[in-house]
Amino acid sequence: GQQLNQSPQSMFIQEGEDVSMNCTSSSIFNTWLWYKQEPGEGPVLLIALYKAGELTSNGRLTAQFGITRKDSFLNISASIPSDVGIYFCAGQLTGNTPLVFGKGTRLSVIA
Amino acid sequence: DAMVIQNPRYQVTQFGKPVTLSCSQTLNHNVMYWYQQKSSQAPKLLFHYYDKDFNNEADTPDNFQSRRPNTSFCFLDIRSPGLGDAAMYLCATSRGTSTDTQYFGPGTRLTVL
């Protein structure tokens, strides 16, 4: 099925560093969502974006909905060890259509 | 306060032995989804219910069935589990409006022996 191009696939960073990851699509979406998943748990919603150009923050996390509606990025500032996990982007066309997921970015933070 | 609850968290079954996974929600959401997630992969949608309307993904095997007896509960039935069905099964819910967000449960890890 359709998938988003999410990069990077994995990242190893030092504690305190900033992190950036992004997702691109060949088709437009009306909603972009960013989830974090830890081992053995379900994805937890971090940020939801509903308007092109929207920039939204949640603590140290900032995400933007691209103007073309075909991309989104997530930034994490001043990373800490508990940021470790897999970050998934997901796009949705309407409330009645399935989410399309990226393949995930695996983040490792070295203390 | 758990909003999407999945039981059990871990399920072990034998090859070919039917198994049922359970999901409940306290959000009163219209839509409930079942996803299959294999190791290091993104969740893959199996099917979803919009109220009582069932929507099956084209590539979901017939071995997977679902029931939604009321707004709060949704079940995933695997009629004859194979070794390849071992995975994390995630339930999610959403209101089903034009600006929407899906909320996931903690998942059930299925092991097939």
Side-chain angles (χ1 to χ4, degrees):
Chain A
Q2 186 183 3
Q3 268 194 327
L4 302 177
N5 297 313
Q6 185 171 352
S7 65
Q9 199 171 16
S10 62
M11 303 180 75
F12 289 83
I13 60 168
Q14 292 277 351
E15 183 178 359
E17 287 184 357
D18 296 343
V19 172
S20 186
M21 58 191 79
N22 70 83
C23 269
T24 60
S25 170
S26 56
S27 52
I28 63 171
F29 289 104
N30 291 318
T31 299
W32 282 92
L33 305 169
W34 284 92
Y35 291 89
K36 178 189 176 189
Q37 188 173 26
E38 297 184 17
E41 299 294 330
V44 173
L45 182 69
L46 299 174
I47 293 180
L49 302 160
Y50 300 113
K51 276 174 60 174
E54 180 181 354
L55 184 73
T56 297
S57 293
N58 177 8
R60 292 179 296 106
L61 278 60
T62 302
Q64 183 155 33
F65 190 144
I67 287 289
T68 64
R69 294 198 284 159
K70 292 183 179 181
D71 63 310
S72 177
F73 72 74
L74 174 71
N75 287 342
I76 305 173
S77 62
S79 57
I80 59 178
S82 62
D83 290 335
V84 165
I86 302 178
Y87 292 78
F88 287 101
C89 64
Q92 189 172 29
L93 193 55
T94 72
N96 296 337
T97 56
L99 289 182
V100 178
F101 280 90
K103 290 189 175 181
T105 295
R106 184 180 295 273
L107 179 64
S108 301
V109 179
I110 304 163
Chain B
D1 294 341
M3 296 181 290
V4 184
I5 302 158
Q6 290 190 244
N7 285 306
R9 293 293 313 276
Y10 301 91
Q11 177 73 57
V12 180
T13 190
Q14 290 180 327
F15 183 94
K17 185 174 181 183
V19 67
T20 294
L21 309 182
S22 159
C23 177
S24 63
Q25 53 127 341
T26 59
L27 298 162
N28 205 33
H29 280 175
N30 295 318
V31 193
M32 294 186 78
Y33 308 80
W34 279 105
Y35 290 84
Q36 180 192 65
Q37 186 179 29
K38 297 196 174 179
S39 183
S40 300
Q41 295 183 20
K44 178 181 180 299
L45 183 65
L46 296 173
F47 25 58
H48 73 279
Y49 274 94
Y50 194 111
D51 290 330
K52 294 183 180 179
D53 293 333
F54 179 69
N55 299 274
N56 199 32
E57 292 300 297
D59 56 354
T60 299
D62 292 340
N63 197 25
F64 292 88
Q65 303 284 316
S66 186
R67 297 170 282 135
R68 189 178 186 186
N70 54 53
T71 301
S72 300
F73 284 87
C74 195
F75 299 100
L76 170 62
D77 300 309
I78 308 177
R79 288 195 281 188
S80 181
L83 298 179
D85 296 328
M88 173 79 94
Y89 289 88
L90 297 164
C91 174
T93 74
S94 67
R95 285 176 298 173
T97 58
S98 57
T99 53
D100 210 356
T101 304
Q102 286 189 25
Y103 296 92
F104 284 83
T108 295
R109 163 95 39 209
L110 178 68
T111 300
V112 181
L113 300 177

